[in-house]
Amino acid sequence: MTARLGWALADGWTITRRALLHWRMQPWPVIFGWFFPVLMLLMFGALLGGAMETPAGESYYELLVPGIFALAMLFGLEATMTAVTTDVAKGVTDRFRSLPMSSAAVVLGRCIADLLDSAVGLLVLSGAGLALGWRWHGSMLEALAAFGLLLLLRFALLWVGIFIGLAVKNAQSIMAVQVLIWPIGFLSSAFVATSTMPDWLGTIAQWNPLSAAATAARSLFGNPDPSAASWIGDHALEAAIIGPLLLTAIFLPLSAATFRRLSN
Amino acid sequence: MTTERVIEAFEVRKNYAGGTEGAGLNGFDLEVSAGTVTGLLGPNGAGKTTAVRILATLLTMDSGEARIAGYDVRRQGAEVRRRIGLVGQSAAVDEILTGKQNLVMFGRLNHLGHAKAVRRADELLERFSLTESAALPASKYSGGMRRRLDLAASLIVAPAVLFVDEPTTGLDPGGRAEVWSAVRELVKGGTTVLLTTQYLDEADQLADRISMLKAGKVVAEGTPDALKAQLGADWLDLVVTEQDDVQHIRQLVDRLADGEVRVDGLRVSIPVKDRTRALVEVATLLQGANIEPEDITLRRPTLDEVFLNLTGSGVPA
Ligand SMILES: Nc1ncnc2c1ncn2[C@@H]1O[C@H](COP(=O)(O)OP(=O)(O)OP(=O)(O)O)[C@@H](O)[C@H]1O
Ligand SMILES: [Mg+2]
């Protein structure tokens, strides 16, 4: 049993190293992935910032940066899906499955690599945010907790990505999902106060796990939050923990089942 | 001496969920002795890949039994995977990584230590003449090189049984030759190979025994020679210069033919039973009709003809 766990970890690390080698061999897609949210930050901040109202007239970046953090976690989904689908399509997944290795390791490696990727992305984005005038006003510990919650969301979305990647199996369908990501990202409190939306839309947006992560991060960073007072808005911290756990509880077993179904 | 059976399949059935009725395997049987090459020959959709994937534990069967080196593919998957190598229908290598990085990674996943994995990678690169391209990303490899890398990756821990699914489909003649010689090398090393192919000449070239698959069932099995002999008739090929002669010959030899005479352009192929007598009689008939054939040959049936007879369907070129 312990030997099996040992091999699962060792194999998982081999798969992580594979992803790191991918970064070294083809750095541009990864770097683009890190800087794309920075681009969004600049675009929204510079283009719309002037027209945005913040609760106490702070810089729009104070509000926007944590929102973009959450959005970056959502965009990470794309990298996960693409990697999973490519491996299935190229037969690499089959090769892994024909090896005497632990199948949990394939996912474990993916997990570690994608979380590392997102952690670096958050670092880059924080640097850009700081340069543009965003600050955190709380303690270091609170800031780390905020990043922790964001990565928890990324962890949950990872399973969504693995599930979709295994289920759709082809690159064209991935495109469709990529397009769908946008409305999901916008239908949240990432950019604007949900109170400015029509009631029903605002409610949906508030229940978006992305909003919970953004709101929780804002409160931990001590940044202003424009969310209308509501039950879910008041419990953002809890929601930012429970939401991802719930997503994981749904999509982890689904992914595992789909992985097993590859042999049907 | 009894030869050890390394691959055994008995009455294997597989119907894909949501697939068409009858697609998959419908009572597939196979026995392969240690150290031999068996060709699984069949047209598109015959079930070759399905059979290989079931034997390699990638796919579960609906019913039947299959064992690799004595281990049940259903209940002892881990043991089976320790003893097999699989070269799938498309080259399953990581295209972003270099050839060497691929082999080292697969070595680690076969639970070799780092130093050992590197050493093994170098050996295999050498053996498959990839040393010079070891540092190139696999995406830059030609089809034949990628196939060889794929083969190398399946041989990191010398498997008892190697499955190779259509190794040369889509390769140019040079690429095919490269892969063929790689497979021959392997067999010399004692590996048992199950090779699927749509190409009859490939099976003829590489395989000790051939199983012909049609609609998920083996319809004929034996050595290439035995299969040809089993399907009887030798052929007498006549090549003439005038189209008129073709029709004339057809009428003349009708009485002699042991089956249907085939015409392909200026070539007339006559199935015959008694080789020498047929040759003499045809020659006499031609002389009487004053037809001078450009070529006249007596030959065993090609696998194409065997295949056509057995499966009632043509073979994709
Ligand atoms: N995942 C699947 N779902 C449904 N049907 C399938 C699936 N895979 C294969 N089939 C069907 O099963 C039959 C056998 O397919 P298989 O891939 O084993 O054939 P094959 O002999 O390998 O053909 P090819 O020469 O084209 O590779 C075909 O009719 C195919 O359409
Ligand atoms: Mg096939």
Side-chain angles (χ1 to χ4, degrees), chain A residues 169 262 264, chain B residues 14-25 40-53 59 89 165-166 169 196-198 213 215-216 316:
Chain A
K169 291 186 193 134
L262 288 177
N264 274 335
Chain B
K14 170 75 193 176
N15 213 289
Y16 287 98
T20 30
E21 185 70 32
L25 293 180
L40 201 55
L41 190 60
N44 283 121
K48 303 181 295 293
T49 301
T50 307
V52 164
R53 288 172 59 84
L59 200 62
Q89 193 160 345
D165 196 3
E166 298 194 23
T169 302
T196 82
T197 181
Q198 299 185 27
L213 201 58

Side-chain angles (χ1 to χ4, degrees), chain B residues 161-184:
Chain B
V161 179
L162 181 70
F163 300 105
V164 198
D165 196 3
E166 298 194 23
T168 60
T169 302
L171 295 188
D172 59 18
R176 292 180 83 184
E178 286 174 6
V179 171
W180 283 2
S181 77
V183 171
R184 286 202 187 95

Side-chain angles (χ1 to χ4, degrees), chain A residues 7 11 14-15 18 21-22 24-26 89-92 94-101 262-264, chain B residues 14 53 58-60 81 86 91-98 101 105-106 108-111 150 153-154:
Chain A
W7 278 125
D11 293 341
T14 305
I15 303 286
R18 170 190 178 220
L21 277 176
H22 279 188
R24 207 170 79 194
M25 300 297 291
Q26 284 190 355
K90 297 271 177 211
V92 174
D94 272 353
R95 160 130 15 239
F96 288 150
R97 290 173 63 226
S98 74
L99 290 175
M101 63 182 282
L262 288 177
S263 64
N264 274 335
Chain B
K14 170 75 193 176
R53 288 172 59 84
L58 291 181
L59 200 62
T60 50
R81 284 191 287 275
L86 170 67
V93 293
D94 187 323
E95 301 204 336
I96 300 175
L97 299 187
T98 67
Q101 286 168 340
M105 170 179 74
F106 288 122
R108 298 303 310 251
L109 293 176
N110 272 294
H111 298 166
D150 203 25
S154 313

Side-chain angles (χ1 to χ4, degrees), chain B residues 54-67:
Chain B
I54 285 176
L55 293 172
T57 77
L58 291 181
L59 200 62
T60 50
M61 60 180 107
D62 299 337
S63 67
E65 260 180 73
R67 269 184 295 279

